[in-house]
Amino acid sequence: MHMSILASIYARHRIIRGPARKGLLGRLGPGLITGASDDDPSGIATYSQAGAQFGYALCWVMLFCYPLMAAIQEISARIGRVTGHGIAGNIRLHYSPWLLRSIVGLLLVANIINLGADLGAMAAALKLLIGGPTGIYVTGFAIACVWLEVFSSYKRYVAILKWISFVLLVYIAVALVVDVPWLVVLHSTFIPNFLMNRDYVITVVAVLGTTITPYCFFWQSSQEAENEDIDPAAHTLLEAPEEAQAEFKRMRLDTYVGMGYSNIISLFIIISTAATLNAHGITDIQTSAQAAEALRPIAGVFTFALFALGIIGIGLLAVPVLAGSGAYALGEALGWTTGLDRKPLEAKAFYGTIAVSTLIGILINFVGLDPIKALFWSAVINGVVAVPLMVIIMLMARRYDVMGGFVVPKRLWVMGWLCTLVMAVAVGIMFATW
Protein backbone atom coordinates (compact mmCIF):
# COMPACT_ATOMS: atom_id res chain seq x y z
CA MET A 1 0.00 0.00 0.00
CA HIS A 2 2.76 2.44 1.00
CA MET A 3 4.70 1.62 -2.18
CA SER A 4 1.66 2.32 -4.39
CA ILE A 5 1.10 5.66 -2.65
CA LEU A 6 4.76 6.60 -3.15
CA ALA A 7 4.55 5.57 -6.82
CA SER A 8 1.45 7.71 -7.27
CA ILE A 9 3.14 10.71 -5.65
CA TYR A 10 6.23 10.20 -7.83
CA ALA A 11 4.10 9.98 -10.99
CA ARG A 12 2.26 13.17 -10.07
CA HIS A 13 5.56 14.91 -9.34
CA ARG A 14 6.93 13.81 -12.70
CA ILE A 15 3.84 15.16 -14.50
CA ILE A 16 4.22 18.54 -12.86
CA ARG A 17 7.98 18.85 -13.28
CA GLY A 18 8.32 17.09 -16.65
CA PRO A 19 7.60 19.98 -19.02
CA ALA A 20 10.29 22.14 -17.39
CA ARG A 21 12.97 19.69 -18.54
CA LYS A 22 11.97 19.96 -22.20
CA GLY A 23 13.59 22.38 -24.61
CA LEU A 24 11.59 25.34 -25.87
CA LEU A 25 10.39 23.55 -29.01
CA GLY A 26 9.28 20.56 -26.93
CA ARG A 27 7.18 22.85 -24.74
CA LEU A 28 5.47 24.44 -27.73
CA GLY A 29 2.57 22.72 -29.46
CA PRO A 30 -1.04 23.80 -30.04
CA GLY A 31 -0.21 27.50 -29.62
CA LEU A 32 2.68 27.49 -32.09
CA ILE A 33 0.76 25.49 -34.71
CA THR A 34 -2.37 27.64 -34.27
CA GLY A 35 -0.38 30.86 -34.60
CA ALA A 36 1.45 29.67 -37.71
CA SER A 37 -1.76 28.46 -39.37
CA ASP A 38 -3.21 31.93 -38.92
CA ASP A 39 -0.68 33.17 -41.51
CA ASP A 40 -2.23 30.97 -44.18
CA PRO A 41 -2.07 31.88 -47.91
CA SER A 42 -5.32 33.86 -47.61
CA GLY A 43 -3.86 35.77 -44.67
CA ILE A 44 -0.68 36.44 -46.64
CA ALA A 45 -2.86 38.01 -49.35
CA THR A 46 -4.51 40.32 -46.80
CA TYR A 47 -1.20 41.43 -45.25
CA SER A 48 0.32 41.89 -48.70
CA GLN A 49 -2.58 44.14 -49.71
CA ALA A 50 -2.14 46.14 -46.49
CA GLY A 51 1.54 46.74 -47.23
CA ALA A 52 1.04 47.39 -50.94
CA GLN A 53 -1.83 49.84 -50.50
CA PHE A 54 -0.78 51.76 -47.39
CA GLY A 55 2.95 51.16 -47.04
CA TYR A 56 4.01 51.03 -43.39
CA ALA A 57 0.90 52.80 -42.09
CA LEU A 58 -0.68 49.55 -40.83
CA CYS A 59 2.33 48.11 -39.01
CA TRP A 60 0.81 49.22 -35.70
CA VAL A 61 -2.17 46.89 -36.16
CA MET A 62 -0.02 43.79 -35.60
CA LEU A 63 1.30 45.16 -32.31
CA PHE A 64 -2.23 46.14 -31.28
CA CYS A 65 -3.60 42.68 -32.19
CA TYR A 66 -1.01 40.69 -30.29
CA PRO A 67 -2.24 40.89 -26.66
CA LEU A 68 -5.87 40.58 -27.74
CA MET A 69 -5.23 37.55 -29.96
CA ALA A 70 -3.04 35.90 -27.30
CA ALA A 71 -5.68 36.43 -24.60
CA ILE A 72 -8.59 34.81 -26.48
CA GLN A 73 -6.37 31.94 -27.59
CA GLU A 74 -5.10 31.31 -24.06
CA ILE A 75 -8.68 31.28 -22.79
CA SER A 76 -9.62 28.76 -25.49
CA ALA A 77 -6.64 26.60 -24.53
CA ARG A 78 -7.56 26.75 -20.84
CA ILE A 79 -11.12 25.61 -21.56
CA GLY A 80 -9.81 22.56 -23.41
CA ARG A 81 -7.20 21.60 -20.82
CA VAL A 82 -9.37 22.20 -17.76
CA THR A 83 -12.47 20.36 -19.01
CA GLY A 84 -11.04 17.77 -21.41
CA HIS A 85 -13.45 19.00 -24.13
CA GLY A 86 -12.99 21.43 -26.99
CA ILE A 87 -15.09 24.55 -27.54
CA ALA A 88 -17.85 22.68 -29.40
CA GLY A 89 -17.94 19.91 -26.80
CA ASN A 90 -18.47 22.42 -24.01
CA ILE A 91 -21.14 24.30 -25.94
CA ARG A 92 -22.95 20.96 -26.45
CA LEU A 93 -22.84 20.28 -22.70
CA HIS A 94 -23.88 23.73 -21.48
CA TYR A 95 -25.84 25.55 -24.19
CA SER A 96 -28.80 25.13 -26.53
CA PRO A 97 -28.48 22.68 -29.46
CA TRP A 98 -29.67 25.30 -31.97
CA LEU A 99 -26.82 27.61 -30.94
CA LEU A 100 -24.30 24.80 -31.31
CA ARG A 101 -25.62 23.77 -34.74
CA SER A 102 -25.61 27.37 -36.02
CA ILE A 103 -22.03 28.05 -34.95
CA VAL A 104 -20.60 24.72 -36.12
CA GLY A 105 -22.48 24.86 -39.44
CA LEU A 106 -21.22 28.35 -40.26
CA LEU A 107 -17.70 27.45 -39.12
CA LEU A 108 -17.63 24.46 -41.50
CA VAL A 109 -18.77 26.57 -44.46
CA ALA A 110 -16.20 29.31 -43.77
CA ASN A 111 -13.40 26.80 -43.20
CA ILE A 112 -14.11 24.90 -46.42
CA ILE A 113 -14.20 28.09 -48.51
CA ASN A 114 -10.96 29.26 -46.90
CA LEU A 115 -9.42 25.81 -47.40
CA GLY A 116 -10.32 25.85 -51.08
CA ALA A 117 -8.84 29.32 -51.52
CA ASP A 118 -5.63 28.23 -49.79
CA LEU A 119 -5.28 25.18 -52.05
CA GLY A 120 -5.74 27.44 -55.07
CA ALA A 121 -3.12 29.89 -53.76
CA MET A 122 -0.61 27.08 -53.17
CA ALA A 123 -1.18 25.74 -56.69
CA ALA A 124 -0.84 29.22 -58.21
CA ALA A 125 2.44 29.77 -56.32
CA LEU A 126 3.87 26.45 -57.54
CA LYS A 127 2.82 27.28 -61.10
CA LEU A 128 4.70 30.56 -60.85
CA LEU A 129 7.81 28.66 -59.75
CA ILE A 130 7.85 25.74 -62.20
CA GLY A 131 4.88 26.16 -64.55
CA GLY A 132 2.36 23.39 -65.17
CA PRO A 133 -1.36 22.81 -64.55
CA THR A 134 -2.83 24.31 -61.38
CA GLY A 135 -5.60 21.68 -61.27
CA ILE A 136 -3.11 18.87 -60.76
CA TYR A 137 -1.29 20.87 -58.11
CA VAL A 138 -4.52 21.60 -56.22
CA THR A 139 -5.37 17.91 -56.16
CA GLY A 140 -1.84 16.85 -55.23
CA PHE A 141 -1.59 19.27 -52.31
CA ALA A 142 -5.01 18.20 -51.04
CA ILE A 143 -4.14 14.50 -51.18
CA ALA A 144 -0.84 15.10 -49.40
CA CYS A 145 -2.52 17.07 -46.60
CA VAL A 146 -5.27 14.48 -46.05
CA TRP A 147 -2.84 11.55 -46.22
CA LEU A 148 -0.56 13.03 -43.55
CA GLU A 149 -3.48 14.01 -41.33
CA VAL A 150 -5.21 10.64 -41.51
CA PHE A 151 -2.36 8.14 -41.65
CA SER A 152 0.50 9.73 -39.67
CA SER A 153 0.88 8.90 -35.99
CA TYR A 154 -0.24 11.78 -33.81
CA LYS A 155 3.19 12.54 -32.34
CA ARG A 156 4.86 12.44 -35.74
CA TYR A 157 2.14 14.60 -37.28
CA VAL A 158 2.42 17.25 -34.56
CA ALA A 159 6.20 17.27 -35.04
CA ILE A 160 5.71 17.71 -38.82
CA LEU A 161 3.35 20.65 -38.25
CA LYS A 162 5.82 22.27 -35.84
CA TRP A 163 8.65 22.06 -38.35
CA ILE A 164 6.46 23.29 -41.21
CA SER A 165 5.64 26.37 -39.13
CA PHE A 166 9.24 27.54 -39.51
CA VAL A 167 8.77 28.00 -43.24
CA LEU A 168 7.25 31.36 -42.33
CA LEU A 169 10.76 32.59 -41.51
CA VAL A 170 11.22 33.12 -45.26
CA TYR A 171 9.15 36.29 -44.90
CA ILE A 172 11.66 37.71 -42.45
CA ALA A 173 14.35 36.80 -44.99
CA VAL A 174 12.42 38.61 -47.73
CA ALA A 175 12.29 41.80 -45.65
CA LEU A 176 16.00 41.55 -44.88
CA VAL A 177 17.08 41.32 -48.53
CA VAL A 178 15.10 44.36 -49.69
CA ASP A 179 15.72 48.00 -48.85
CA VAL A 180 13.61 48.85 -45.79
CA PRO A 181 13.60 52.20 -43.92
CA TRP A 182 13.66 50.62 -40.46
CA LEU A 183 13.27 53.91 -38.57
CA VAL A 184 10.02 54.53 -40.45
CA VAL A 185 8.91 50.97 -39.64
CA LEU A 186 9.60 51.46 -35.91
CA HIS A 187 7.75 54.77 -35.89
CA SER A 188 4.75 53.30 -37.74
CA THR A 189 4.66 50.25 -35.45
CA PHE A 190 4.74 52.07 -32.12
CA ILE A 191 3.06 55.36 -33.06
CA PRO A 192 -0.19 54.66 -34.95
CA ASN A 193 -1.05 56.91 -37.87
CA PHE A 194 -4.79 56.76 -38.48
CA LEU A 195 -5.94 57.69 -41.95
CA MET A 196 -9.54 58.84 -42.00
CA ASN A 197 -10.65 57.25 -45.23
CA ARG A 198 -12.89 54.33 -46.04
CA ASP A 199 -10.29 52.07 -47.67
CA TYR A 200 -7.91 52.42 -44.72
CA VAL A 201 -10.60 51.50 -42.20
CA ILE A 202 -11.75 48.52 -44.30
CA THR A 203 -8.17 47.26 -44.52
CA VAL A 204 -7.72 47.54 -40.75
CA VAL A 205 -10.92 45.51 -40.32
CA ALA A 206 -9.68 42.93 -42.85
CA VAL A 207 -6.37 42.55 -40.98
CA LEU A 208 -8.20 42.13 -37.65
CA GLY A 209 -10.57 39.58 -39.16
CA THR A 210 -7.68 37.64 -40.69
CA THR A 211 -5.71 37.62 -37.45
CA ILE A 212 -8.46 36.74 -34.94
CA THR A 213 -10.41 33.85 -36.48
CA PRO A 214 -12.88 31.26 -35.10
CA TYR A 215 -11.13 28.17 -36.44
CA CYS A 216 -8.08 29.02 -34.31
CA PHE A 217 -10.22 28.95 -31.14
CA PHE A 218 -11.57 25.50 -31.98
CA TRP A 219 -8.24 24.02 -33.04
CA GLN A 220 -6.20 25.07 -30.00
CA SER A 221 -8.89 24.11 -27.50
CA SER A 222 -9.42 20.69 -29.08
CA GLN A 223 -5.68 20.05 -29.32
CA GLU A 224 -5.25 20.79 -25.62
CA ALA A 225 -8.08 18.38 -24.82
CA GLU A 226 -6.62 15.70 -27.08
CA ASN A 227 -3.11 16.04 -25.67
CA GLU A 228 -4.56 15.35 -22.24
CA ASP A 229 -6.67 12.47 -23.53
CA ILE A 230 -3.83 10.56 -25.21
CA ASP A 231 -1.41 10.84 -22.28
CA PRO A 232 -2.28 8.11 -19.74
CA ALA A 233 -0.42 10.01 -17.02
CA ALA A 234 -2.32 13.27 -17.63
CA HIS A 235 -5.73 14.31 -16.34
CA THR A 236 -8.17 17.12 -16.88
CA LEU A 237 -7.39 19.87 -14.42
CA LEU A 238 -10.81 19.41 -12.87
CA GLU A 239 -9.66 15.90 -11.90
CA ALA A 240 -6.07 16.78 -10.98
CA PRO A 241 -5.89 20.40 -9.79
CA GLU A 242 -2.32 19.91 -8.57
CA GLU A 243 -1.20 19.85 -12.22
CA ALA A 244 -2.74 23.27 -12.93
CA GLN A 245 0.20 25.55 -12.15
CA ALA A 246 2.61 23.75 -14.48
CA GLU A 247 -0.02 23.34 -17.23
CA PHE A 248 -1.11 26.99 -17.17
CA LYS A 249 2.53 28.07 -17.34
CA ARG A 250 3.12 25.79 -20.34
CA MET A 251 -0.04 26.97 -22.11
CA ARG A 252 0.82 30.61 -21.51
CA LEU A 253 4.31 30.16 -22.96
CA ASP A 254 3.01 28.16 -25.91
CA THR A 255 0.24 30.65 -26.69
CA TYR A 256 2.23 33.85 -26.32
CA VAL A 257 5.18 32.51 -28.32
CA GLY A 258 2.86 31.11 -31.01
CA MET A 259 0.78 34.27 -31.36
CA GLY A 260 3.89 36.45 -31.18
CA TYR A 261 5.49 34.42 -33.96
CA SER A 262 2.32 34.74 -36.05
CA ASN A 263 2.13 38.49 -35.66
CA ILE A 264 5.84 39.07 -36.27
CA ILE A 265 5.56 37.17 -39.55
CA SER A 266 2.45 39.17 -40.50
CA LEU A 267 4.34 42.37 -39.72
CA PHE A 268 7.26 41.34 -41.92
CA ILE A 269 4.91 40.53 -44.80
CA ILE A 270 3.49 44.06 -44.53
CA ILE A 271 7.01 45.49 -44.32
CA SER A 272 8.36 43.55 -47.33
CA THR A 273 5.40 44.41 -49.58
CA ALA A 274 5.46 48.05 -48.46
CA ALA A 275 9.17 48.31 -49.25
CA THR A 276 8.76 46.78 -52.69
CA LEU A 277 5.25 46.96 -54.12
CA ASN A 278 4.05 50.18 -52.49
CA ALA A 279 7.41 51.87 -53.12
CA HIS A 280 7.01 51.12 -56.85
CA GLY A 281 3.39 52.20 -57.11
CA ILE A 282 1.80 48.72 -57.05
CA THR A 283 -1.11 49.14 -54.64
CA ASP A 284 -3.71 46.55 -55.69
CA ILE A 285 -2.94 42.98 -54.59
CA GLN A 286 -5.79 40.45 -54.54
CA THR A 287 -4.04 37.12 -53.91
CA SER A 288 -0.83 35.90 -52.30
CA ALA A 289 0.38 34.50 -55.64
CA GLN A 290 -0.19 37.89 -57.26
CA ALA A 291 1.95 39.46 -54.52
CA ALA A 292 4.74 36.96 -55.22
CA GLU A 293 4.57 37.57 -58.98
CA ALA A 294 4.67 41.35 -58.50
CA LEU A 295 7.86 40.99 -56.46
CA ARG A 296 9.78 39.30 -59.30
CA PRO A 297 10.62 42.37 -61.45
CA ILE A 298 11.07 44.62 -58.42
CA ALA A 299 13.02 42.56 -55.85
CA GLY A 300 14.51 39.83 -58.04
CA VAL A 301 13.98 36.14 -58.65
CA PHE A 302 15.39 35.06 -55.27
CA THR A 303 12.96 37.22 -53.27
CA PHE A 304 10.07 36.16 -55.49
CA ALA A 305 10.95 32.48 -55.01
CA LEU A 306 11.19 32.85 -51.22
CA PHE A 307 7.78 34.53 -51.07
CA ALA A 308 6.18 31.84 -53.27
CA LEU A 309 7.78 28.97 -51.34
CA GLY A 310 6.41 30.45 -48.12
CA ILE A 311 2.88 30.35 -49.57
CA ILE A 312 3.24 26.66 -50.44
CA GLY A 313 4.91 25.67 -47.17
CA ILE A 314 2.48 27.35 -44.80
CA GLY A 315 -0.45 26.11 -46.88
CA LEU A 316 0.63 22.57 -46.04
CA LEU A 317 0.04 23.46 -42.39
CA ALA A 318 -3.03 25.69 -42.75
CA VAL A 319 -5.12 23.34 -44.92
CA PRO A 320 -5.00 20.46 -42.36
CA VAL A 321 -5.76 22.88 -39.51
CA LEU A 322 -8.79 24.28 -41.35
CA ALA A 323 -10.09 20.78 -42.15
CA GLY A 324 -9.19 19.46 -38.70
CA SER A 325 -10.76 22.29 -36.70
CA GLY A 326 -14.03 21.80 -38.58
CA ALA A 327 -13.90 18.04 -37.97
CA TYR A 328 -13.24 18.54 -34.26
CA ALA A 329 -16.13 20.99 -34.00
CA LEU A 330 -18.60 18.79 -35.86
CA GLY A 331 -17.46 15.62 -34.07
CA GLU A 332 -17.71 17.16 -30.61
CA ALA A 333 -21.09 18.67 -31.48
CA LEU A 334 -22.48 15.29 -32.53
CA GLY A 335 -20.72 13.21 -29.88
CA TRP A 336 -18.48 11.34 -32.32
CA THR A 337 -15.16 9.76 -31.48
CA THR A 338 -12.65 12.45 -32.46
CA GLY A 339 -8.91 12.90 -32.44
CA LEU A 340 -5.91 12.71 -34.73
CA ASP A 341 -4.44 10.06 -32.44
CA ARG A 342 -7.27 7.68 -33.38
CA LYS A 343 -6.86 5.09 -36.10
CA PRO A 344 -8.98 5.79 -39.20
CA LEU A 345 -11.40 2.96 -38.44
CA GLU A 346 -11.79 4.16 -34.83
CA ALA A 347 -12.97 7.64 -35.89
CA LYS A 348 -14.45 7.12 -39.35
CA ALA A 349 -16.85 10.07 -39.21
CA PHE A 350 -14.14 12.42 -37.89
CA TYR A 351 -11.65 11.52 -40.61
CA GLY A 352 -14.46 11.40 -43.15
CA THR A 353 -15.25 15.03 -42.35
CA ILE A 354 -11.61 15.97 -42.97
CA ALA A 355 -11.62 14.13 -46.31
CA VAL A 356 -14.97 15.52 -47.49
CA SER A 357 -14.05 19.09 -46.45
CA THR A 358 -10.83 18.86 -48.43
CA LEU A 359 -12.63 17.33 -51.42
CA ILE A 360 -15.09 20.23 -51.49
CA GLY A 361 -12.09 22.56 -51.22
CA ILE A 362 -10.67 20.92 -54.36
CA LEU A 363 -13.99 21.28 -56.20
CA ILE A 364 -14.16 25.00 -55.37
CA ASN A 365 -11.10 25.40 -57.62
CA PHE A 366 -12.80 23.63 -60.55
CA VAL A 367 -16.23 25.29 -60.63
CA GLY A 368 -15.03 28.72 -61.70
CA LEU A 369 -15.66 30.38 -58.33
CA ASP A 370 -13.80 33.68 -58.10
CA PRO A 371 -11.25 33.22 -55.27
CA ILE A 372 -11.59 36.86 -54.24
CA LYS A 373 -15.37 36.53 -53.88
CA ALA A 374 -14.88 33.20 -52.07
CA LEU A 375 -12.62 34.84 -49.51
CA PHE A 376 -15.05 37.73 -49.16
CA TRP A 377 -17.86 35.35 -48.25
CA SER A 378 -15.56 33.42 -45.94
CA ALA A 379 -14.77 36.70 -44.16
CA VAL A 380 -18.47 37.55 -43.89
CA ILE A 381 -19.32 34.14 -42.41
CA ASN A 382 -16.38 34.29 -40.00
CA GLY A 383 -17.60 37.72 -38.95
CA VAL A 384 -21.07 36.34 -38.24
CA VAL A 385 -19.56 33.49 -36.19
CA ALA A 386 -16.70 35.27 -34.41
CA VAL A 387 -18.45 37.69 -32.09
CA PRO A 388 -21.22 35.43 -30.65
CA LEU A 389 -18.66 32.62 -30.36
CA MET A 390 -16.26 34.86 -28.45
CA VAL A 391 -19.07 35.96 -26.15
CA ILE A 392 -19.86 32.30 -25.40
CA ILE A 393 -16.17 31.52 -24.80
CA MET A 394 -15.89 34.43 -22.39
CA LEU A 395 -19.04 33.41 -20.52
CA MET A 396 -17.89 29.77 -20.26
CA ALA A 397 -14.48 30.85 -19.02
CA ARG A 398 -16.04 32.40 -15.88
CA ARG A 399 -18.65 29.68 -15.20
CA TYR A 400 -17.83 27.56 -12.18
CA ASP A 401 -19.98 24.71 -13.48
CA VAL A 402 -17.72 24.60 -16.56
CA MET A 403 -14.29 25.55 -15.19
CA GLY A 404 -14.61 24.59 -11.54
CA GLY A 405 -12.01 26.48 -9.53
CA PHE A 406 -10.11 27.41 -12.68
CA VAL A 407 -12.23 30.25 -14.02
CA VAL A 408 -9.95 32.63 -15.91
CA PRO A 409 -8.25 35.31 -13.81
CA LYS A 410 -9.54 38.87 -13.96
CA ARG A 411 -6.64 40.23 -16.04
CA LEU A 412 -7.15 37.60 -18.73
CA TRP A 413 -10.92 38.03 -18.52
CA VAL A 414 -10.61 41.79 -19.17
CA MET A 415 -8.31 41.25 -22.17
CA GLY A 416 -10.66 38.60 -23.57
CA TRP A 417 -13.65 40.93 -23.38
CA LEU A 418 -11.60 43.76 -24.91
CA CYS A 419 -10.74 41.45 -27.82
CA THR A 420 -14.43 40.58 -28.17
CA LEU A 421 -15.39 44.27 -28.19
CA VAL A 422 -12.76 45.09 -30.83
CA MET A 423 -14.02 42.27 -33.03
CA ALA A 424 -17.63 43.41 -32.56
CA VAL A 425 -16.68 46.89 -33.75
CA ALA A 426 -14.69 45.44 -36.67
CA VAL A 427 -17.57 43.22 -37.77
CA GLY A 428 -19.99 46.13 -37.43
CA ILE A 429 -17.77 48.23 -39.71
CA MET A 430 -17.50 45.34 -42.17
CA PHE A 431 -21.27 45.13 -42.55
CA ALA A 432 -21.69 48.92 -42.56
CA THR A 433 -19.27 49.22 -45.50
CA TRP A 434 -20.46 46.09 -47.34
Side-chain angles (χ1 to χ4, degrees), residues 201-241:
V201 172
I202 290 173
T203 306
V204 170
V205 170
V207 170
L208 286 171
T210 300
T211 305
I212 303 171
T213 52
Y215 77 84
C216 291
F217 313 153
F218 283 94
W219 175 264
Q220 188 167 357
S221 181
S222 294
Q223 285 289 284
E224 286 291 347
E226 180 160 4
N227 285 344
E228 175 273 319
D229 186 54
I230 67 174
D231 184 354
H235 314 80
T236 67
L237 298 186
L238 291 176
E239 296 171 338

Side-chain angles (χ1 to χ4, degrees), residues 34-74:
T34 302
S37 73
D38 201 44
D39 291 327
D40 68 325
S42 302
I44 292 170
T46 300
Y47 303 129
S48 297
Q49 174 61 26
Q53 188 171 7
F54 295 103
Y56 308 103
L58 287 173
C59 288
W60 65 270
V61 179
M62 304 321 305
L63 183 65
F64 173 75
C65 279
Y66 174 55
L68 305 179
M69 178 187 186
I72 196 67
Q73 289 298 147
E74 184 184 351

Side-chain angles (χ1 to χ4, degrees), residues 105-431:
L106 289 171
L107 175 80
L108 278 171
V109 173
N111 279 14
I112 290 170
I113 294 173
N114 205 336
L115 185 158
D118 284 352
L119 286 172
M122 294 161 67
L126 185 57
K127 182 177 180 179
L128 288 176
L129 288 170
I130 64 174
T134 55
I136 291 177
Y137 297 152
V138 165
T139 305
F141 284 134
I143 292 172
C145 289
V146 172
W147 182 269
L148 284 172
E149 199 161 13
V150 174
F151 294 105
S152 296
S153 70
Y154 181 71
K155 287 185 178 179
R156 180 182 300 173
Y157 186 63
V158 168
I160 289 170
L161 292 183
K162 282 187 187 181
W163 285 108
I164 290 176
S165 71
F166 292 113
V167 76
L168 287 170
L169 293 173
V170 301
Y171 293 111
I172 295 180
V174 168
L176 294 178
V177 299
V178 298
D179 186 20
V180 175
W182 290 107
L183 289 178
V184 175
V185 170
L186 288 172
H187 184 274
S188 299
T189 302
F190 292 97
I191 303 176
N193 178 28
F194 295 97
L195 303 179
M196 300 308 294
N197 70 62
R198 180 177 179 272
D199 289 341
Y200 181 85
V201 172
I202 290 173
T203 306
V204 170
V205 170
V207 170
L208 286 171
T210 300
T211 305
I212 303 171
T213 52
Y215 77 84
C216 291
F217 313 153
F218 283 94
W219 175 264
Q220 188 167 357
S221 181
S222 294
Q223 285 289 284
E224 286 291 347
E226 180 160 4
N227 285 344
E228 175 273 319
D229 186 54
I230 67 174
D231 184 354
H235 314 80
T236 67
L237 298 186
L238 291 176
E239 296 171 338
E242 68 277 6
E243 297 173 20
Q245 183 176 359
E247 286 300 305
F248 286 149
K249 183 178 180 180
R250 175 195 58 78
M251 278 187 285
R252 192 174 302 115
L253 173 70
D254 184 24
T255 301
Y256 279 78
V257 169
M259 301 310 125
Y261 179 55
S262 173
N263 282 29
I264 287 171
I265 298 302
S266 304
L267 176 63
F268 272 89
I269 294 170
I270 293 173
I271 291 169
S272 59
T273 51
T276 52
L277 305 184
N278 179 267
H280 287 79
I282 300 173
T283 60
D284 185 19
I285 296 296
Q286 298 295 329
T287 68
S288 52
Q290 186 183 346
E293 176 66 8
L295 282 172
R296 192 192 324 237
I298 296 171
V301 174
F302 177 70
T303 303
F304 149 75
L306 279 180
F307 202 97
L309 286 171
I311 294 168
I312 296 168
I314 201 57
L316 292 172
L317 183 150
V319 167
V321 170
L322 284 160
S325 62
Y328 275 117
L330 184 62
E332 291 171 8
L334 298 178
W336 294 344
T337 298
T338 62
L340 294 171
D341 189 56
R342 306 284 185 178
K343 301 296 182 184
L345 293 179
E346 296 174 344
K348 289 181 283 188
F350 172 75
Y351 284 117
T353 302
I354 290 174
V356 171
S357 298
T358 309
L359 175 61
I360 298 173
I362 294 174
L363 295 176
I364 285 173
N365 288 275
F366 287 92
V367 296
L369 182 63
D370 184 340
I372 309 306
K373 289 183 178 179
L375 286 176
F376 170 78
W377 283 108
S378 176
V380 169
I381 296 168
N382 274 324
V384 171
V385 174
V387 176
L389 176 60
M390 292 169 75
V391 169
I392 293 168
I393 289 171
M394 292 309 303
L395 293 174
M396 283 197 298
R398 291 289 289 183
R399 282 181 58 167
Y400 287 93
D401 60 332
V402 177
M403 301 289 286
F406 298 111
V407 294
V408 296
K410 188 63 67 72
R411 174 196 59 82
L412 191 56
W413 181 77
V414 169
M415 289 301 296
W417 275 115
L418 181 59
C419 182
T420 305
L421 176 62
V422 167
M423 282 303 295
V425 172
V427 170
I429 293 172
M430 179 184 73
F431 283 111

